[in-house]
Amino acid sequence: LYVEKGDNKNIIFIELLIDSWIDRNKMGKGDGWHSYTISLRLRNIIWCFNLLPEMISKKRLDSLWEQFCWLNMHLEIHHGGNHLLENLISLSFSSLFFEGEKAKAIFLNSQYKLKKELDLQILEDGGHEERTATYHLLLLEHLVELGIMIQMKLRDRPYWLVSKIHQMTEWVTKIRLIGGNYPNFNDSTLSSCSKLDDVLRLSYSYLNQKEYEL
């Protein structure tokens, strides 16, 4: 869903979605409180709030903070793999939206754990250990988003993060098929992540410090 300032119809629709979720999903109850779904939702809402601050309200901020704290206490260590990486990416990303010592502490802790997990899960050839192209593309896109947010908020480009994004980007270029497709191995599908060429352009725009071209 593409939204910009002045797009009142879609802004109202998103606000209704956020408020409806808050009203109908009490803390810890149901699929909406699974750590993976929280990881994805946090980032999407924070992007909306950064781009359209008029969406921010106390009710929505309180809910966002509750979800953030819940995720911090319910990392998917038992799943590991891409699920745990998504949790840590979202904690790092979301902590930059909040102020205070707790948010800062969670940022530092999640960055430490994320670096450690990336060192374990990203293999020497730059590919993710699960060898599923869809997961790899999703993780790469989300790591780039995190890199962008860190640069926006802290004016920093952590070397270890830039290095991993570069490695993972090079792997994508190696598996790219004619027409921009990729091998449909393991749990891969051709419709559950952004297009390969779009992810490449986003990644190279971050690595080369150039404006992303739609």
Side-chain angles (χ1 to χ4, degrees):
L1 183 62
Y2 180 74
V3 182
E4 58 185 16
K5 289 185 181 297
D7 188 359
N8 292 328
K9 182 177 180 181
N10 278 335
I11 290 174
I12 292 171
F13 177 67
I14 292 175
E15 289 179 325
L16 287 173
L17 281 179
I18 294 173
D19 290 340
S20 176
W21 189 90
I22 294 171
D23 294 338
R24 300 183 183 187
N25 291 271
K26 302 305 179 185
M27 181 179 285
K29 304 292 185 181
D31 291 343
W33 283 90
H34 287 178
S35 297
Y36 187 81
T37 60
I38 290 177
S39 296
L40 303 184
R41 185 169 54 251
L42 280 175
R43 291 198 302 267
N44 287 330
I45 293 177
I46 287 172
W47 274 127
C48 285
F49 285 179
N50 274 292
L51 295 171
L52 298 162
E54 61 267 31
M55 283 189 179
I56 298 174
S57 69
K58 184 179 185 303
K59 172 182 177 178
R60 295 165 191 163
L61 278 180
D62 287 347
S63 173
L64 205 65
W65 177 255
E66 288 178 351
Q67 294 175 63
F68 171 64
C69 292
W70 175 274
L71 178 60
N72 186 50
M73 298 301 295
H74 295 83
L75 293 176
E76 294 178 274
I77 297 172
H78 56 295
H79 280 308
N82 71 92
H83 276 240
L84 181 55
L85 287 178
E86 290 286 6
N87 298 165
L88 295 171
I89 290 169
S90 280
L91 282 177
S92 297
F93 184 97
S94 304
S95 61
L96 294 172
F97 179 75
F98 296 105
E99 297 179 354
E101 291 303 314
K102 183 171 183 177
K104 183 178 180 180
I106 291 175
F107 174 77
L108 295 174
N109 186 48
S110 59
Q111 285 278 279
Y112 170 78
K113 291 180 178 178
L114 178 59
K115 181 181 183 301
K116 184 178 179 180
E117 283 299 319
L118 287 173
D119 286 340
L120 291 172
Q121 294 192 37
I122 303 305
L123 306 181
E124 288 186 9
D125 65 358
H128 183 253
E129 65 177 359
E130 293 180 60
R131 289 315 203 209
T132 298
T134 300
Y135 296 162
H136 184 100
L137 288 168
L138 284 169
L139 288 169
L140 176 56
E141 184 175 27
H142 298 156
L143 285 169
V144 172
E145 290 180 354
L146 173 60
I148 291 170
M149 185 62 73
I150 291 174
Q151 188 166 341
M152 286 171 53
K153 297 292 186 179
L154 303 179
R155 300 292 186 266
D156 187 25
R157 287 168 59 85
Y159 174 79
W160 61 269
L161 181 57
V162 175
S163 177
K164 279 295 185 288
I165 289 173
H166 181 265
Q167 284 181 270
M168 294 175 72
T169 301
E170 290 303 299
W171 189 83
V172 173
T173 65
K174 295 173 185 176
I175 66 161
R176 184 186 185 278
L177 303 177
I178 294 173
N181 291 324
Y182 49 81
N184 197 19
F185 296 148
N186 299 324
D187 292 337
S188 279
T189 67
L190 298 178
S191 60
S192 58
C193 64
S194 298
K195 294 180 180 179
L196 182 147
D197 286 343
D198 290 340
V199 175
L200 278 179
R201 285 191 290 112
L202 177 65
S203 182
Y204 280 129
S205 72
Y206 171 72
L207 291 171
N208 299 326
Q209 292 289 270
K210 293 184 178 180
E211 185 175 351
Y212 177 72
E213 297 180 2
L214 295 173

